[in-house]
Amino acid sequence: MAPTADADAMRRAIELAARGLGSTSPNPVVGCVITDASGTVVGEGFHQRAGGPHAEVHALADAGERARGGTAYVTLEPCNHTGRTGPCAQALIEAGITRVHYAVGDPNPQATGGADTLRAAGIHVEQGLLGAEAEAGNAAWLTSVRLGRPHVTWKYAATLDGRTAAEDGTSRWITSADSRADVHRLRAECDAVVVGSGTVRTDDPHLAVRGVEGATQPLRLAVDTNATAVKPGARILDDAAPTLIAVAEDADAGHLPEAAVLRVPRAATGLDIPALLAALHTRGVRSVLLEGGPTLAGAFVAAGAVDRVVGYLAPALLGAGPAALAGAGIPTIADALRLDLTEAVRIGPDLRITATPLAKES
């Protein structure tokens, strides 16, 4: 295939991988496209759920005998180990694939080495095709493997002048129904949704996903340092989705269901954010949607634990009221957390801006 056709096939694999967001954790999202010897697409697949067949297996099953002599385009290096499923590198070899393009190397030491196995079998292997795009699509899993903590997306809604509520505290609704529906899509793609005690007291949020067909309900986590915000009967304690209440190690949480209490060390203010994320990672959480207010968002930013920012900006002005971010430990403009703007799209009447932190210059 010509280079353009190679890129088209990998781009399709990246699109397929995205279909697994929210259902494959703690595994990665992976897509695969198989072409025959003439370059015609004959098989497609993606990793659909943890413990189920990997993307390559689905694509090879779709292609059947037409895969022999063909090419596989995979968003992540084919795995080289036997876990709940067999090694995909071996499946590609047995199917008679002669060429493999993969976008991103596997950083998991238990699964890496697939490329070497393929080459040893005489298969032509190339890495890096649309690597940046594939990395972005698999950011949550890659972050969890590389850093040992969940990937964190901070989501907020504000007016154009940056206010998340009016001076009298009212905030429903700053953004449109279209934006609120889009937030449910974000929730469905994450393993956990996190709010702070202020949000619990003000809104008594439910935090479950609504309006997304087939969604796996994420873990609902309230950061309630002193165990004073979540009361018996709170909506977050119903059985619509799993729930944890993160409290300080010395907090009196006797009024909360024991199984829902997660004890975390204190920090100078609030809870120790790295320790909280480590505890979630241990429980299999690979992606977090931070929906808390400005104080909790500030604590995550100060801890260097925000990997992506998604802001919904409404075409409205308030002139007073709380800002989206507070207490982030940024005293001067020279210390501003600079972001790379990756997307800006209209969502109904609103603007959704997505950005990622830039690496600080040394």
Side-chain angles (χ1 to χ4, degrees):
M1 297 175 76
T4 299
D6 284 338
D8 288 345
M10 185 63 79
R11 191 168 289 110
R12 174 59 178 165
I14 293 170
E15 292 173 358
L16 290 167
R19 295 183 182 181
L21 286 169
S23 62
T24 65
S25 188
N27 294 347
V29 293
V30 184
C32 179
V33 169
I34 304 291
T35 62
D36 64 16
S38 69
T40 301
V41 174
V42 294
E44 295 185 341
F46 66 97
H47 185 39
Q48 299 176 12
R49 60 179 178 81
H54 290 184
E56 297 94 322
V57 174
H58 281 298
L60 289 171
D62 188 29
E65 281 300 312
R66 295 173 296 174
R68 194 159 299 277
T71 301
Y73 299 84
V74 195
T75 57
L76 186 68
E77 180 183 1
C79 67
N80 198 44
H81 78 300
T82 299
R84 284 187 283 183
T85 61
C88 291
Q90 189 61 39
L92 292 167
I93 293 168
E94 293 174 358
I97 290 292
T98 59
R99 194 164 67 111
V100 173
H101 277 281
Y102 68 94
V104 180
D106 193 332
N108 182 354
Q110 294 180 325
T112 192
D116 291 338
T117 296
L118 293 168
R119 291 190 180 100
I123 295 174
H124 179 78
V125 181
E126 294 185 29
Q127 175 185 351
L129 181 63
L130 300 189
E133 291 91 331
E135 283 244 2
N138 216 4
W141 182 81
L142 290 169
T143 296
S144 72
V145 173
R146 291 167 177 166
L147 301 182
R149 65 160 176 81
H151 178 276
V152 177
T153 295
W154 170 41
K155 162 262 161 186
Y156 70 94
T159 58
L160 281 183
D161 57 340
R163 306 294 178 174
T164 59
E167 192 171 16
D168 65 359
T170 56
S171 61
R172 294 188 176 183
W173 294 102
I174 284 178
T175 52
S176 66
D178 300 281
S179 291
R180 297 196 296 276
D182 197 60
V183 170
H184 282 278
R185 174 191 60 80
L186 283 180
R187 286 181 181 176
E189 293 178 355
C190 289
D191 297 338
V193 180
V194 179
V195 297
S197 56
T199 299
V200 171
R201 290 191 181 94
T202 302
D203 297 336
D204 187 22
H206 191 228
L207 301 182
V209 174
R210 299 188 302 276
V212 180
E213 186 177 354
T216 299
Q217 289 292 345
L219 172 71
R220 300 175 295 185
L221 175 69
V223 178
D224 186 8
T225 303
N226 297 309
T228 56
V230 180
K231 306 291 186 182
R235 297 173 70 211
I236 199 175
L237 294 176
D238 71 10
D239 60 1
T243 299
L244 283 177
I245 313 300
V247 305
E249 291 174 325
D250 58 350
D252 180 3
H255 59 290
L256 297 173
E258 184 177 353
V261 174
L262 175 64
R263 294 196 176 272
V264 180
R266 287 183 183 270
T269 58
L271 297 181
D272 184 307
I273 299 302
L276 172 63
L277 290 174
L280 291 176
H281 188 268
T282 299
R283 290 171 175 257
V285 173
R286 299 295 179 260
S287 56
V288 164
L289 181 62
L290 177 62
E291 293 196 39
T295 301
L296 186 62
F300 272 75
V301 169
V306 170
D307 303 293
R308 181 174 64 155
V309 179
V310 178
Y312 294 85
L313 301 181
L317 301 173
L318 283 171
L325 187 65
I330 304 174
T332 180
I333 192 66
D335 295 333
L337 178 59
R338 301 291 179 177
L339 306 173
D340 176 30
L341 183 64
T342 59
E343 185 184 52
V345 297
R346 284 283 296 269
I347 304 291
D350 306 321
L351 181 66
R352 185 188 70 205
I353 293 178
T354 304
T356 56
L358 291 168
K360 291 188 175 181
E361 297 182 2
S362 56

